[in-house]
Amino acid sequence: MIRTDDFQKAVELVNKSESILITAHDKPDGDACGSIVALCESLRAQGKNVRPLLLSALPGWYQFIPAEQIPILDDDLQAEELMEGRFGEFDLIIIVDTNSCSQLPKFEEYLKSSTAPVLILDHHVTGDGLGDVELTDTTAAATGLIVLDLLKYAGWEMTEKIAEALFVATATDTGWFQFSNTDSRVHRACGEFIDAGAKPTRIYDNLYHNFSHARFKLMAAMLGSLELHFDGRYAAMHVSQRDFERTGAGYSDTENLINECHRIGTVKASALFVELKDGRIRCSLRSRGSMEVNVIAAGFGGGGHRMAAGTYLPGPLENAKRLILDEITQELR
Ligand SMILES: [Mn+2]
């Protein structure tokens, strides 16, 4: 839990600042984007000059969340421009949904060179202690719930836009209320967001009923590659470069597709192997049981959570599949 003292320090940091930069981890998800948008709205309402910044592109299905086009570092602006103050001079940097240098590519250099205080809002267990003030609550299912706590402590108003952004943050980090982190706090918070104007049906349609035809064809190709092992307890699927070419889908279209195979009741662990242009294989791992897939990923230099992890493996696809199958065999035998 976060001490009242720390909320007070966070509010004081905001109160004495005029110009605030807000960012989150690279490969932004719904929690990262929702928390950025909610804080931007809220701090602008407090009269602050606020600039949001993403460290990599936002997948298409999250693009309804921000009202503005959020610039992307290393794309819309370069790290040098940020360092030289051409994006703005900031007297406070807020980082949401991470506290780890490795998730802040390019931004890390700016962070080291900047003298502005750093405020962290995060719910992850591991971190590099990047903040001068840190609102870290590992019991929170989403960083969006910490944003809610900060708003309440500070007495800042919950608008419809903020409620929608925080609903997205909470709903996506709980897999639309199906992951084991879904507790009563999640549902109570979402009740508040709905009361403040969040529309769950509209949000669900925006998030999950919005595949492009190309992405749907890619999913069909992935499902066609399904292999089951160990009486159906381990599922392996792949997407090849040829699948991308044939369907017209892009790399970001693979996000979350791995979860599809967990509709099979027997599946306790799964892997999705994505062949990259450079020949390496991006491997995503999921567990719905006791297996700790982050341990497997760490063995190959990757990382993640107990239930969701990932790593890069040498190609070709069959080689990568064999490497993971050997590890899974150790676990399930
Ligand atoms: Mn999160």
Side-chain angles (χ1 to χ4, degrees), residues 11 33 69 100 136 150 179 185 190 228 232 241 251 285 300:
V11 172
C33 179
Q69 189 79 34
S100 300
T136 304
L150 176 62
F179 299 159
R185 177 180 175 186
C190 285
L228 292 175
Q241 273 300 308
Y251 176 69
L285 297 159
F300 297 99

Side-chain angles (χ1 to χ4, degrees), residues 5 16 28 42 71 112 133 191 202 211 226 236 250 264 281 289 329:
D5 207 31
K16 69 179 182 198
S42 185
K112 281 188 181 133
V133 175
R202 194 182 87 87
F211 273 42
L226 175 75
I264 303 169
I281 309 297
T329 304

